[in-house]
Amino acid sequence: MDLTVDAAREQWRAEVREWLAANVPAEPLPSLDTADGFAAHRDWERRMYDAGFAVVTWPERFGGRAVDLLDWLAFEEEYWAAGAPVRVSQNGIFLLAPAMFEVATEAQLERFMVPMARADEVWAQGWSEPGAGSDLAALRSRADRVDGGWRLNGQKTWSTRGTFADWMFGLFRSDPRSLEAGSSRHRGLTYFLLPLDADGVTVRPIRQLDGEPGFAEVFFDDVFVPDDQVLGEVGKGWSVAMSTTTSERGLTLRSPGRFMASAERLLDLVRRTPQASGRAVDDAVDAWLDADAYRLYVLDTALRAMAGEQIGAESSANKLFWSDLDVRIHDAALRLLGPAGLLTETADARWLDGYLFSLAGPIYAGTNEIQRNVLAERVLGLPRA
Amino acid sequence: MDLTVDAAREQWRAEVREWLAANVPAEPLPSLDTADGFAAHRDWERRMYDAGFAVVTWPERFGGRAVDLLDWLAFEEEYWAAGAPVRVSQNGIFLLAPAMFEVATEAQLERFMVPMARADEVWAQGWSEPGAGSDLAALRSRADRVDGGWRLNGQKTWSTRGTFADWMFGLFRSDPRSLEAGSSRHRGLTYFLLPLDADGVTVRPIRQLDGEPGFAEVFFDDVFVPDDQVLGEVGKGWSVAMSTTTSERGLTLRSPGRFMASAERLLDLVRRTPQASGRAVDDAVDAWLDADAYRLYVLDTALRAMAGEQIGAESSANKLFWSDLDVRIHDAALRLLGPAGLLTETADARWLDGYLFSLAGPIYAGTNEIQRNVLAERVLGLPRA
Amino acid sequence: MRLQPDEDALEFAAAVRDLLSQTCDAQALRAAWDSVGQGASGRDDGRVPGLWKRLADMGVAGLVVPEELGGAGLDLTGALPVFVEAGRAALPEPVVGTSVGAALLTQAGGAVAHEWLPRVAAGEAVLALADGHDALVVGGQWADLFLLGDNDGVRAVARDDVDVDSAPSIDPGLGLARVRVHAGAGAPVDNADGRRAFDWACVAVAGELVGLARAMLDRAVGYAKVREQFGKPIGSFQAVKHQLADVFVATSFAAPVVNRAAWSVAHDLPTRSRDASHAKYAAGRAAAQAARTALQVHAGIGYTYENDLHMWLKRTWSLASQWGTTDWHKDRIARELLGG
Amino acid sequence: MRLQPDEDALEFAAAVRDLLSQTCDAQALRAAWDSVGQGASGRDDGRVPGLWKRLADMGVAGLVVPEELGGAGLDLTGALPVFVEAGRAALPEPVVGTSVGAALLTQAGGAVAHEWLPRVAAGEAVLALADGHDALVVGGQWADLFLLGDNDGVRAVARDDVDVDSAPSIDPGLGLARVRVHAGAGAPVDNADGRRAFDWACVAVAGELVGLARAMLDRAVGYAKVREQFGKPIGSFQAVKHQLADVFVATSFAAPVVNRAAWSVAHDLPTRSRDASHAKYAAGRAAAQAARTALQVHAGIGYTYENDLHMWLKRTWSLASQWGTTDWHKDRIARELLGG
């Protein structure tokens, strides 16, 4: 167990910190969920890309720096500590890209990765459907074989970034028999990449709790998708998607830096709230400690992954922990702020925004109920119901 | 909503308080779960009986005072505030007696009630079996019809007070076909009363967490029980038992006075622990408030019951609340005491005893998991799995 | 001796509930929220047009105004069930502010009371309590008269003598405003007990929180019965059942605490403030739990603005924070129980 | 750079685990507990006869004693996995007290260290830390030498110079005793850093708590797989699954915190005390949750003395309370983070 830090890593961290200090916008960007805000965040991503910081773990030929997980964690710590904007390209670079690097053709990599990294093409996700939320294997939107490609019909929902995004990745049922009784519903799904301006695609924004269209419903009416926009093998979409959701629940969706930065801000809030209730202060300290614990857990996981260990269903533990932690951080902040914390046009309103966002954490990317089932059955070996 | 207190009730309370002040033993009695302690608690019950305080809600002809629920609640508040002993006759007077008054024959009442009230005959309960804990309807111990009565065979477990008690009440399967597939397992059970010194009865004490034999396994080997020791109708034991367990979960098992007294002692402990952690103090205040809330809830329930309302599955809410509350009261106390709280031969050791006892609360009388199912299905109307 | 409200009070509240179910359903509430910033003056931003008049006709505006001044003459124990209904409907009207103001003026009596209470009962004047000369005031946007409590007692300040700036918050139906009172403005309300009025308001808001908790529980239970995943209603899964059962328990145990507090405040018992704080604390805690659970059970759909749930969530968060936060009330109790 | 212990340390711990699974299974532990009060002197009350010698032969007694004095020469990061195994077995032996005493003497060096450390490594002398002249001491019943920390530094006091009274507690396998040091007794241990030794002990105990948590989780999971109610294993019910999943999460997130603290203490980093407190806090909290859940899953059978679970519960409660309670450690962190 050697936790000493070497000079190369320190230098990387310093380089990141320096660039962020010089480049992070002084004023927060407008909300990602507005047209203006989306554009501003896209600009920020391009600036990051030009400086070589948009996709630091990627190969250099796609604009990356090929850094390892530890340097990525350091990057993320610095990024959030600097108060830098949320990542509009997150769906693409953190959820789609790992699957791409695993199964995409060389031509697909050439076609998609750089525009993704530059946020020239921002990606939305197409997992859930009205009848398939927690039960993702129940997907019904279908893909029918046609000459040179597929025709998509059906509906997706909860498509994060769907309102303003350019492209979507998602699963469609290419073998309708796989829904019949006795079949494995996970089979017969295929993973597609498609532009949201294609003929037959209708995007209907969904306003979320704060009233902004953070996600969308997307309707497909005979949408043609050519064969070269199938990711991985036909009928193997589920396993491609699982490689994505494993990384989603695992390391890349919620880096510790984000929570450490929130927790530090929370302690600052405690310090400037001398009349605070002891309980709220105590909960804030708890949250800070758990953010630190989360950092150590992810660091440990990263070290094990770098040593070649396979990270499996334990990533559900990760998701349970950070989603609960994020709610607790913001809940403590709102309690410290009191009635003023519910105002929407103050400097502290970011705590309220953060609270609303945190409440989605136990729901998306597999509800926490599902995650507990996964842990109990796949890690602890308890019997299915 | 009239919460004024009238003079007659105040007078009753004063009478109780005065008698307790003059009669409650200055030193705590030895543990109920030892032979000496059991005898001492029996003596105490006799003293209560002679003074007319053993069974205050019962009719006067059985040694009661026929007071209503409000006066009973006042009695209980005074009883626990005075630091009086736990009730060795509790199984009989609080669990069996309500069922007796509902369905017993006049001859049975004549035979059993006064010895029960005087603790000349202390009762143990015979519900659970090794294969039927939370799933009480799975009982297998059987009763076979013989001339003039029944022969019992099988085994009961978790029989509270079983080690030193004189009599047992319990359910036995009098119709073995009721266990067959397609039958309602609740049918075919009969409620028996039997002496624990009968031929064929073997009592094996079970030591509980603290090492004392608080409960017992009881084995039945062709035990003869005459017909006049069947309570209620043959085959209707389940509904007789339910009237008992409803009262068990409801008003009579855990009167608020007990928790109020513990919560007051907890605040005293806070006051003499100036170095206490703020969190522990806060948890103590929470517990005190919830004890107060429990008092109000039971008072409200009693008032509604007196007004003729039927109290049903809501009693599960009651059990969930007090069992959780009791753990929290004692957990806070142990945290305030620190390492000294785990010593077994100190004046504060009653907190430790109380903590261990409290941990059984979420388990016995229907685990809290079962109670939540009951609330969800019977009160909220959610579908069975 | 009862902890439940009287039959009469419950009947009255049932009538209010009926009216609100017709006039302030989720659609009306949504329209009220969307009205913010649309009107010219902003005075009625977030309210349901015409509803206050109808409530006044029923007697809700003058709920606690003495009968001789045109009101229903209820005390807090009688008024409480109406606040529960206001909570259940997430009602965007000044029912608590006006009632507590009326209770304060009734208690104090005198010229201000006789001038304003008949207008209050007629639905022509709306009141609000202000806690200091520069304060966030619930219903401040809507109020005609402000009752300003400070160390020198209570002053009645007409709207002309204050600056009112709407304070945009998560709950557009709360009439929240920052209210600055001009120096030396208003008239003293002799004999007014501002502290008791504060406790009164806490209990009324606790009643709203109980109603909110019940409404959210009902919504979550209803959704859990119809939403299917893995081939069955999600309400058949134990994890969902147990979360909802826990909300039922928390709500069930908060209600008697609130009822008791109403009695304590109405009768000005020595435990008045502690009981009022206990009510606000218990109801705030239960409603917060109900909100979290209702959202989790609704999952994605509950997170949308299109679904109605969010209006109840936001009202809950707002009321749990206003009139002393849940934490603050517990701290107040702790100080009383433990000294210091 | 690793947060996991080294391969060597893990291998050594695995060997300790093997030995303990043979020599200190539940039956041996039960016999040890039952031995209390049966022996003549009481000196070895609650221990497993002969086990310390075997542990000493393996190198556990001299775990952190320098190699030149006959020990294994590990630092806290290397020793930690052994403490985890001690926790897993609810080991009734002075492994933490002796180790932290040895670590203290090793750090200080000098005459006392050279006199005692070889005997420690040989399993012939057992150490204990005492926090004041009249203190409850874990392993005090068993110790040959007491290291007494106070404001004046650290003194080494032989057993002859103290009064030892066994302190009956819920955990008979802890050797808990009230230890009163005779006035002026013992010899100063020059250069000893008593505060660092305290942090060292906290991390070691945190390691035990992690081991306890894992052991209780394993027991509960195992029982949930075989115990049937309503015709199926109780582990197939979601309520049971989710409770156990939550314990898994708590335990998984405590372990890296403890590992990090071992590093901080071993290298005397500026964050040493905070990290040590974090370890004790996180592990104490996780183990307490594991204990509650394990008992609830076992239900009635878990509440019996006949079932083995209770020995793990009681060790957990004891260790969560000793060496600074979970609350105390969090308060210490809060003071550092927030000042005051």
Side-chain angles (χ1 to χ4, degrees):
Chain A
M1 185 162 66
D2 184 348
L3 290 170
T4 45
V5 176
D6 65 35
R9 296 199 186 280
E10 278 304 283
Q11 193 187 332
W12 163 251
R13 186 187 281 271
E15 180 190 343
V16 171
R17 184 181 300 180
E18 196 177 324
W19 186 84
L20 289 166
N23 287 279
V24 168
E27 289 294 308
L29 302 184
S31 163
L32 189 58
D33 299 325
T34 62
D36 283 356
F38 199 87
H41 281 79
R42 216 194 265 265
D43 289 344
W44 165 251
E45 291 292 334
R46 281 180 195 143
R47 209 154 130 201
M48 297 258 287
Y49 181 85
D50 292 342
F53 288 116
V55 285
V56 295
T57 57
W58 289 16
E60 295 181 6
R61 64 183 178 121
F62 300 124
R65 302 281 287 269
V67 305
D68 65 11
L69 277 171
L70 294 188
D71 282 348
W72 178 73
L73 289 171
F75 172 84
E76 287 282 311
E77 282 181 24
E78 294 301 324
Y79 188 88
W80 296 107
V86 294
R87 307 290 304 266
V88 70
S89 54
Q90 170 178 302
N91 286 318
I93 63 175
F94 291 155
L95 301 185
L96 172 57
M100 294 283 288
F101 286 124
E102 205 162 309
V103 300
T105 63
E106 184 57 32
Q108 287 174 325
L109 292 174
E110 286 295 333
R111 162 66 188 82
F112 290 114
M113 299 318 278
V114 169
M116 187 191 300
R118 295 188 72 224
D120 293 337
E121 290 172 356
V122 173
W123 289 79
Q125 50 176 314
W127 297 143
S128 299
E129 297 180 5
S134 295
D135 184 13
L136 211 55
L139 295 175
R140 293 187 163 275
S141 291
R142 58 189 287 175
D144 294 302
R145 199 83 185 87
V146 294
D147 195 32
W150 300 80
R151 286 220 178 270
L152 307 187
N153 281 283
Q155 180 191 352
K156 294 288 179 182
T157 191
W158 314 131
S159 174
T160 309
R161 301 285 96 80
T163 304
F164 302 110
D166 309 294
W167 279 72
M168 167 180 275
F169 55 92
L171 289 180
F172 292 78
R173 194 163 295 278
S174 51
D175 178 0
R177 289 167 307 172
S178 56
L179 266 183
E180 289 168 10
S183 297
S184 166
R185 300 180 307 157
H186 299 85
R187 293 200 181 161
L189 293 166
T190 297
Y191 197 121
F192 288 93
L193 312 175
L194 69 143
L196 284 169
D197 61 0
D199 282 348
V201 173
T202 308
V203 175
R204 192 180 81 82
I206 301 177
R207 291 196 292 167
Q208 58 197 20
L209 274 191
D210 63 3
E212 302 293 352
F215 30 57
E217 287 180 299
V218 183
F219 299 87
F220 307 90
D221 180 15
D222 272 344
V223 178
F224 176 73
V225 179
D227 282 328
D228 60 2
Q229 287 168 213
V230 169
L231 182 63
E233 284 181 54
V234 169
K236 294 286 173 63
W238 180 261
S239 60
V240 177
M242 282 303 104
S243 72
T244 305
T245 54
T246 300
S247 78
E248 179 181 15
R249 285 197 291 264
L251 280 172
T252 58
L253 180 61
R254 290 289 172 260
S255 68
R258 183 169 185 148
F259 304 109
M260 287 306 293
S262 296
E264 290 292 347
R265 288 201 297 128
L266 180 60
L267 290 192
D268 286 341
L269 182 59
V270 169
R271 291 184 193 104
R272 64 180 168 89
T273 313
Q275 298 300 321
S277 157
R279 184 71 170 210
V281 172
D282 201 63
D283 287 343
V285 172
D286 268 346
W288 187 90
L289 288 169
D290 282 342
D292 193 35
Y294 183 66
R295 182 176 71 84
L296 292 165
Y297 182 86
V298 173
L299 184 60
D300 184 51
T301 310
L303 291 166
R304 289 193 287 122
M306 289 164 65
E309 272 186 54
Q310 193 69 36
I311 306 304
E314 294 92 341
S315 58
S316 290
N318 197 323
K319 199 254 163 168
L320 285 167
F321 196 86
W322 69 248
S323 58
D324 175 61
L325 167 63
D326 201 29
V327 174
R328 292 193 292 118
I329 289 172
H330 290 88
D331 177 67
L334 290 189
R335 284 158 54 206
L336 288 163
L337 289 165
L342 297 169
L343 300 178
T344 48
E345 296 175 8
T346 66
D348 284 321
R350 58 191 299 201
W351 283 115
L352 179 60
D353 292 342
Y355 179 65
L356 296 182
F357 183 70
S358 77
L359 291 175
I363 294 170
Y364 65 78
T367 66
N368 283 12
E369 286 76 16
I370 298 296
Q371 305 295 351
R372 288 189 178 91
N373 285 350
V374 169
L375 282 184
E377 291 166 13
R378 296 195 213 155
V379 179
L380 302 179
L382 291 169
R384 289 172 166 274
Chain B
M1 185 163 63
D2 184 349
L3 289 171
T4 45
V5 175
D6 66 35
R9 295 199 187 280
E10 278 305 283
Q11 193 187 331
W12 162 251
R13 187 185 280 271
E15 180 190 344
V16 171
R17 185 180 302 181
E18 195 177 326
W19 186 83
L20 289 167
N23 288 280
V24 168
E27 290 293 310
L29 302 183
S31 164
L32 189 58
D33 298 326
T34 61
D36 284 355
F38 199 87
H41 281 80
R42 216 193 264 266
D43 289 344
W44 165 251
E45 291 292 334
R46 280 180 196 143
R47 207 152 132 203
M48 299 258 288
Y49 181 85
D50 291 342
F53 288 116
V55 285
V56 295
T57 57
W58 289 16
E60 294 181 7
R61 66 183 177 118
F62 300 124
R65 303 281 287 269
V67 306
D68 66 11
L69 278 171
L70 295 187
D71 282 348
W72 179 72
L73 289 170
F75 172 84
E76 288 281 313
E77 282 181 24
E78 295 301 324
Y79 188 87
W80 296 107
V86 294
R87 307 291 304 266
V88 69
S89 55
Q90 170 178 302
N91 286 318
I93 63 176
F94 292 154
L95 302 185
L96 172 58
M100 293 283 288
F101 285 125
E102 205 162 308
V103 301
T105 64
E106 184 58 32
Q108 287 175 325
L109 292 174
E110 285 296 334
R111 162 67 188 82
F112 290 114
M113 299 318 278
V114 168
M116 186 191 301
R118 294 189 71 225
D120 293 337
E121 290 172 356
V122 173
W123 289 78
Q125 49 176 314
W127 299 141
S128 300
E129 298 180 4
S134 295
D135 184 12
L136 211 55
L139 295 174
R140 294 188 164 275
S141 290
R142 57 190 286 175
D144 294 303
R145 198 85 186 86
V146 295
D147 196 31
W150 300 79
R151 287 221 178 269
L152 307 187
N153 281 285
Q155 179 192 350
K156 294 288 179 183
T157 191
W158 315 129
S159 174
T160 309
R161 301 284 96 80
T163 304
F164 301 110
D166 309 293
W167 280 71
M168 167 180 274
F169 55 93
L171 289 180
F172 292 77
R173 193 163 296 277
S174 50
D175 179 359
R177 288 167 307 172
S178 56
L179 267 183
E180 289 168 10
S183 297
S184 166
R185 300 180 306 156
H186 299 86
R187 293 201 182 159
L189 292 167
T190 297
Y191 197 121
F192 287 94
L193 313 174
L194 68 141
L196 286 169
D197 62 359
D199 283 347
V201 173
T202 307
V203 174
R204 192 181 81 83
I206 302 177
R207 290 197 292 168
Q208 59 198 18
L209 274 191
D210 62 5
E212 301 294 352
F215 30 58
E217 287 181 300
V218 183
F219 298 87
F220 306 90
D221 181 14
D222 272 345
V223 178
F224 176 74
V225 179
D227 282 327
D228 60 3
Q229 286 168 218
V230 170
L231 182 62
E233 283 181 55
V234 170
K236 296 284 173 64
W238 180 262
S239 60
V240 177
M242 281 304 102
S243 72
T244 306
T245 53
T246 300
S247 78
E248 178 182 16
R249 284 197 293 263
L251 280 172
T252 58
L253 180 60
R254 288 290 172 259
S255 68
R258 181 168 185 149
F259 303 109
M260 287 306 293
S262 295
E264 291 292 348
R265 288 202 297 126
L266 180 60
L267 290 191
D268 286 341
L269 182 59
V270 169
R271 292 185 193 102
R272 64 181 168 88
T273 313
Q275 299 299 323
S277 157
R279 184 72 169 210
V281 172
D282 200 63
D283 287 343
V285 172
D286 269 346
W288 187 91
L289 288 169
D290 282 342
D292 193 35
Y294 183 68
R295 183 176 71 83
L296 292 166
Y297 182 86
V298 173
L299 184 59
D300 184 52
T301 310
L303 290 166
R304 289 193 287 122
M306 288 165 65
E309 271 186 54
Q310 193 68 36
I311 307 302
E314 293 92 339
S315 59
S316 289
N318 197 325
K319 200 254 163 167
L320 284 167
F321 196 86
W322 68 248
S323 58
D324 175 61
L325 167 63
D326 201 29
V327 173
R328 292 192 293 118
I329 289 172
H330 289 89
D331 177 68
L334 289 189
R335 284 159 53 208
L336 288 163
L337 289 165
L342 298 169
L343 300 178
T344 48
E345 296 174 11
T346 67
D348 284 322
R350 58 191 299 201
W351 284 115
L352 179 59
D353 292 342
Y355 179 65
L356 296 183
F357 182 70
S358 77
L359 291 175
I363 295 170
Y364 65 78
T367 66
N368 284 11
E369 285 77 15
I370 299 297
Q371 306 294 351
R372 289 189 178 93
N373 285 350
V374 169
L375 282 184
E377 291 166 13
R378 296 196 213 154
V379 179
L380 301 180
L382 292 169
R384 288 171 167 275
Chain C
M1 177 151 138
R2 301 197 68 188
L3 260 172
Q4 300 287 321
D6 295 324
E7 294 295 328
D8 285 356
L10 289 173
E11 259 177 47
F12 183 65
V16 173
R17 183 175 183 169
D18 278 350
L19 176 68
L20 295 181
S21 69
Q22 294 157 28
T23 56
C24 186
D25 60 4
Q27 199 179 349
L29 185 56
R30 187 175 287 274
W33 281 37
D34 288 345
S35 75
V36 172
Q38 306 301 314
S41 75
R43 269 297 292 268
D44 289 324
D45 265 7
R47 297 178 71 176
V48 178
L51 181 52
W52 190 246
K53 183 76 182 77
R54 294 187 66 174
L55 286 169
D57 292 345
M58 277 192 80
V60 172
L63 201 58
V64 299
V65 172
E67 293 181 61
E68 61 271 25
L69 297 178
L74 297 176
D75 69 5
L76 181 52
T77 64
L80 186 63
V82 173
F83 301 133
V84 174
E85 294 310 324
R88 195 193 304 272
L91 179 68
E93 296 291 335
V95 66
V96 167
T98 299
S99 295
V100 65
L104 175 79
L105 293 177
T106 300
Q107 170 262 317
V112 179
H114 280 81
E115 179 191 348
W116 284 88
L117 288 179
R119 297 180 54 198
V120 164
E124 292 158 9
V126 159
L127 310 178
L129 244 57
D131 178 26
H133 286 73
D134 180 1
L136 274 179
V137 176
V138 174
Q141 185 80 357
W142 307 326
D144 302 291
L145 183 74
F146 293 88
L147 296 160
L148 167 67
D150 62 15
N151 290 332
D152 300 329
V154 176
R155 295 181 73 82
V157 189
R159 189 173 179 100
D160 289 347
D161 291 327
V162 301
D163 294 326
V164 176
D165 291 308
S166 88
S169 87
I170 195 173
D171 181 353
L174 207 60
L176 197 66
R178 179 159 290 284
V179 174
R180 291 181 190 78
V181 178
H182 301 171
V189 184
D190 294 332
N191 304 316
D193 186 343
R195 290 168 193 275
R196 185 170 166 193
F198 174 77
D199 289 340
W200 204 103
C202 292
V203 177
V205 173
E208 287 193 285
L209 287 162
V210 167
L212 283 157
R214 287 182 183 153
M216 292 184 288
L217 177 60
D218 288 348
R219 278 180 181 273
V221 167
Y223 186 72
K225 286 177 183 171
V226 299
R227 167 68 172 170
E228 297 200 354
Q229 289 282 277
F230 304 100
K232 44 188 178 179
I234 60 170
S236 64
F237 291 101
Q238 216 178 17
V240 173
K241 280 184 184 171
H242 285 199
Q243 288 181 53
L244 292 169
D246 285 341
V247 171
F248 176 79
V249 171
T251 307
S252 300
F253 278 83
V257 173
V258 179
N259 289 338
R260 186 266 309 266
W263 177 269
S264 296
V265 171
H267 295 80
D268 204 13
L269 300 187
T271 56
R272 183 196 78 203
S273 291
R274 188 177 82 196
D275 293 345
S277 278
H278 192 173
K280 182 71 166 50
Y281 159 75
R285 194 177 58 162
Q289 185 179 347
R292 272 299 300 280
T293 301
L295 179 56
Q296 187 68 21
V297 168
H298 279 78
I301 195 77
Y303 199 76
T304 65
Y305 202 83
E306 271 69 12
N307 189 276
D308 297 323
L309 178 66
H310 76 96
M311 296 184 284
W312 276 258
L313 302 179
K314 291 168 181 174
R315 172 58 50 93
T316 299
W317 297 327
S318 296
L319 293 185
S321 185
Q322 294 287 351
W323 304 101
T325 66
T326 305
D327 288 326
W328 182 88
H329 280 285
K330 210 206 4 227
D331 288 348
R332 182 163 83 143
I333 298 167
R335 282 192 301 273
E336 194 201 302
L337 288 177
L338 301 170
Chain D
M1 178 151 137
R2 301 197 68 188
L3 261 172
Q4 300 286 322
D6 296 323
E7 294 296 327
D8 286 356
L10 289 173
E11 260 177 48
F12 182 65
V16 172
R17 182 175 183 169
D18 279 348
L19 176 68
L20 294 181
S21 69
Q22 294 156 28
T23 56
C24 186
D25 59 4
Q27 199 180 348
L29 185 56
R30 186 175 289 276
W33 281 37
D34 289 344
S35 75
V36 172
Q38 306 302 312
S41 75
R43 269 298 291 267
D44 288 325
D45 265 8
R47 298 179 71 176
V48 178
L51 180 54
W52 190 246
K53 184 75 182 78
R54 295 188 65 174
L55 287 168
D57 291 346
M58 278 192 79
V60 172
L63 201 58
V64 299
V65 171
E67 292 181 61
E68 61 271 25
L69 297 178
L74 297 176
D75 69 4
L76 181 50
T77 64
L80 187 62
V82 172
F83 301 132
V84 174
E85 294 309 324
R88 195 193 305 272
L91 179 68
E93 296 291 336
V95 65
V96 167
T98 299
S99 295
V100 65
L104 175 80
L105 292 178
T106 301
Q107 170 262 316
V112 180
H114 280 81
E115 179 189 350
W116 283 89
L117 288 179
R119 297 181 54 198
V120 164
E124 291 158 9
V126 159
L127 310 178
L129 244 59
D131 179 26
H133 285 73
D134 180 0
L136 275 178
V137 176
V138 174
Q141 186 79 356
W142 307 326
D144 301 292
L145 182 74
F146 293 88
L147 295 160
L148 168 69
D150 63 16
N151 290 332
D152 300 329
V154 177
R155 295 180 74 80
V157 190
R159 188 173 181 102
D160 289 347
D161 289 326
V162 301
D163 295 326
V164 176
D165 291 308
S166 88
S169 88
I170 195 174
D171 182 353
L174 208 59
L176 197 66
R178 180 160 288 283
V179 174
R180 293 181 189 80
V181 178
H182 301 171
V189 183
D190 294 331
N191 304 316
D193 187 343
R195 292 168 192 275
R196 185 170 167 193
F198 174 77
D199 290 340
W200 203 104
C202 292
V203 177
V205 173
E208 287 193 285
L209 286 162
V210 166
L212 283 156
R214 288 182 183 154
M216 292 184 288
L217 177 60
D218 288 348
R219 279 181 179 272
V221 167
Y223 186 72
K225 287 177 183 171
V226 299
R227 167 69 172 169
E228 297 201 353
Q229 290 281 278
F230 303 100
K232 46 187 176 178
I234 60 171
S236 65
F237 291 102
Q238 215 178 19
V240 172
K241 280 183 184 170
H242 287 198
Q243 289 181 51
L244 292 169
D246 285 340
V247 171
F248 176 79
V249 171
T251 307
S252 299
F253 279 82
V257 173
V258 179
N259 288 338
R260 186 265 310 264
W263 176 269
S264 295
V265 171
H267 295 80
D268 203 14
L269 300 187
T271 56
R272 183 196 79 202
S273 290
R274 188 177 81 196
D275 293 345
S277 278
H278 192 173
K280 182 70 166 54
Y281 158 74
R285 195 176 57 162
Q289 185 180 346
R292 272 299 300 280
T293 301
L295 179 55
Q296 187 68 21
V297 168
H298 278 80
I301 195 78
Y303 200 75
T304 64
Y305 202 83
E306 270 71 10
N307 188 277
D308 297 323
L309 178 66
H310 76 97
M311 296 184 285
W312 276 258
L313 302 178
K314 291 168 182 174
R315 173 58 51 94
T316 298
W317 297 327
S318 297
L319 292 186
S321 186
Q322 295 288 350
W323 304 102
T325 66
T326 305
D327 288 327
W328 183 89
H329 280 285
K330 209 203 10 224
D331 288 349
R332 182 163 83 144
I333 298 167
R335 282 192 301 273
E336 194 201 302
L337 288 177
L338 301 170

